[in-house]
Amino acid sequence: MMRAVRQTRARVDLGALARNFAAIQALVRGDDTVAPPRVMPVVKANAYGHGAARVARALEAAGAPMLAVADIEEGVTLRDAGVTVPILVFGALSISDVAGVFAHRLTPTVSSPWAARALAEAAAAGGERLACHLKIDTGMHRLGFRHDNLARTLPPILSSPHLHVEAIYTHFATADDHEHPLFEQQRTRFDAARATAQRLGLGRAAVHAANSAALLRDTRAWFDYVRPGLLLYGVVPPPVATTLALEPVLSLQSRVVAVKQIRSNESVGYGARYVADGPRTIAVIPAGYADGLDTRLGGRGHVLLRGRRAPIVGSVCMDMLTVDVTGLDVEPGDEAVFIGTQGDERIDAREMAAAIGTIPWEILCRIGTRIERVYA
Ligand SMILES: *Cc1c(COP(=O)(O)O)cnc(C)c1O
């Protein structure tokens, strides 16, 4: 039987992904030939909506030494997809997770005394020594051991025969905000925390801290690994600018399914929110908020059609939306681009996010499960 194929699709360019990985690697390597920082791609949240299995395998093939995910389940997905490099799990463990760490050879983050105890006990029961990364809270105040309390919290972890602290890391809260003083404070606190951990008996351990914004901002945050997410997918965290040559990995297209004329003073869609102030041509595109296209795009966003920008008008519905294509000579079957290029025009995730007052990370992560990812 022939499989039905939806018109709305996300095209994921794995070649662009590999080139972005190489570009970031070249940036952090510079001419350091002795111990250059390595790139640990962040592939949480289904690889920022790009599809975790394919993205992870492509990055592994491109030479990624380690991948990072949010939770055990995401790690298991990668193992099931055949990924063999180490996988760091950022998130906090729950009781039910502990066994999964061992069964799937995942590298957990130890971010609380409870997690350390649970992992050490499980490792002891299996006669193992478990590699883990230690998370220090330097000011994000989310997960991690407080930077100013390590003398109390670390000794039992560092002395455990069943835990091998392979790396120590932190996470920046304001790397994208050059005005905010917290970034420098976090850097300084992390330096001090590492010195304290050394004094308390931490042996040779790798160090990492930088997300996309931090790695673009400050070479002193590079250490042994950088942890880019957004940047790898070819999107620069706003408002940061970079000369790094990156290509957007994902594009989102559909096709016009209907075109109709409306008269002056007629409205379009639920709530009759858009009322034409003259004769208008409206194109209907079969993609809506169930596909992750935010309702706020109505009246704010654009779609590329016939190489031009056409405004989304009326309300974004669950399964379709409407675009004002007056004067564009649009026909059913024409390609419509939400994210990507058409002719000389381009809309990227950053522009779409700015149009509706959100962040590009959310735009990418919310692209719906109903949308097929086509890999090229
Ligand atoms: C998500 C995440 C990253 C990557 O962040 P980007 O801003 O997408 O580069 C890095 N480190 C941690 C701990 C994260 O949770």
Side-chain angles (χ1 to χ4, degrees), residues 123-198:
E128 292 192 46
R129 187 157 182 257
L130 179 70
C132 58
H133 288 205
L134 192 65
K135 174 94 177 264
I136 307 297
D137 177 5
T138 54
M140 175 80 109
H141 298 145
R142 209 173 52 178
L143 295 178
F145 292 91
R146 279 195 69 104
H147 67 94
D148 52 4
N149 197 26
L150 298 175
R152 267 241 307 279
T153 51
L154 292 196
I157 298 166
L158 298 178
S159 63
S160 168
H162 298 289
L163 294 178
H164 167 46
V165 178
E166 199 178 67
I168 180 168
Y169 78 100
T170 194
H171 192 39
F172 292 110
T174 61
D176 53 359
D177 181 354
H178 287 240
E179 307 296 309
H180 205 292
L182 185 57
F183 180 80
E184 283 306 320
Q185 287 166 359
Q186 285 196 268
R187 253 193 1 85
T188 311
R189 289 168 180 169
F190 189 46
D191 286 344
R194 282 175 5 254
T196 303
Q198 287 301 330

Side-chain angles (χ1 to χ4, degrees), residues 234-236 246-249 302-304 307-309 337-352:
V235 182
V236 180
L246 298 170
E247 304 165 55
V249 172
H302 288 82
V303 174
L304 303 182
R308 306 271 290 277
R309 278 165 187 269
V337 173
F338 292 106
I339 297 173
T341 55
Q342 194 186 59
D344 298 330
E345 283 289 353
R346 170 179 153 158
I347 295 175
D348 58 23
R350 194 161 141 160
E351 177 189 330
M352 187 186 266

Side-chain angles (χ1 to χ4, degrees), residues 42 44 48 90 135 142 169 171 210-213 227-231 237 361:
V42 177
K44 64 193 179 193
Y48 290 45
F90 285 145
K135 174 94 177 264
R142 209 173 52 178
Y169 78 100
H171 192 39
N211 59 1
S212 295
R227 306 189 306 261
L230 195 67
L231 215 51
W361 292 264

